[in-house]
Amino acid sequence: LMDVNLVFIFGMVTFLCNFIPNVGSFFAIVAPAPLVYLTPGKTVEDVVIAVVVPFLIHNTLGCIVEPQLMQAGLDLHPLTTVVALTFWGAIWGISGMILSVPITCGIKLALAEV
C-alpha cells in the first residue's frame, strides 16, 4: 500500500515500541519517515501518508480498543499506569518503561493476596 522498504523491521520496531506506554507509539509512527523521505522517487505526500496512516491506526486502537480491554483485564487506573511508567523509567530507563505495566500489575496482584 505505502511501499516502504524494510517493512518487517519497522513492524518489529512498532511491536517493541508499543510496550512503552504513551511515547512508544510516537516513536513507532515517526521511525519510517526518514527512510521514506530519503528513498529516491518518494514525495512529501508519501512521507505524510507513511506517518498519517499508522497514526490513525495507533490512535484508533490506543484510544478506543485498548482501554476497554485493559480496563477489563488489568483493573489499573490510567494515572497508576503513568506514575508507574515515570517511576520505573527513572529507575531502569527504557527497560523499566517497557516493563512498567507488567511489574505494576504483579505488585498489585501480590498486594491483593496479602
Side-chain angles (χ1 to χ4, degrees), residues 74-77 80 102-113:
L74 299 177
D75 197 32
L76 282 180
H77 192 275
T80 305
I103 290 172
T104 304
C105 285
I107 291 171
K108 180 180 182 247
L109 290 173
L111 291 175
E113 294 294 323

Side-chain angles (χ1 to χ4, degrees), residues 55-73:
F55 174 78
L56 292 174
I57 292 170
H58 280 273
N59 277 343
T60 301
L61 290 175
C63 294
I64 298 171
V65 176
E66 286 179 7
Q68 298 297 321
L69 294 174
M70 296 282 188
Q71 181 183 12

Side-chain angles (χ1 to χ4, degrees), residues 76-85:
L76 282 180
H77 192 275
L79 183 61
T80 305
T81 305
V82 173
V83 170
L85 173 69

Side-chain angles (χ1 to χ4, degrees), residues 9-112:
I9 301 297
F10 287 121
M12 293 302 294
V13 167
T14 300
F15 174 77
L16 294 174
C17 284
N18 279 330
F19 283 105
I20 305 171
N22 303 325
V23 294
S25 292
F26 173 76
F27 291 123
I29 290 168
V30 176
L35 180 70
V36 173
Y37 182 72
L38 295 174
T39 302
K42 297 288 185 177
T43 63
V44 175
E45 180 181 306
D46 294 327
V47 175
V48 170
I49 290 172
V51 171
V52 168
V53 169
F55 174 78
L56 292 174
I57 292 170
H58 280 273
N59 277 343
T60 301
L61 290 175
C63 294
I64 298 171
V65 176
E66 286 179 7
Q68 298 297 321
L69 294 174
M70 296 282 188
Q71 181 183 12
L74 299 177
D75 197 32
L76 282 180
H77 192 275
L79 183 61
T80 305
T81 305
V82 173
V83 170
L85 173 69
T86 305
F87 176 74
W88 293 112
I91 291 178
W92 288 343
I94 292 175
S95 59
M97 291 175 148
I98 292 171
L99 296 172
S100 65
V101 173
I103 290 172
T104 304
C105 285
I107 291 171
K108 180 180 182 247
L109 290 173
L111 291 175

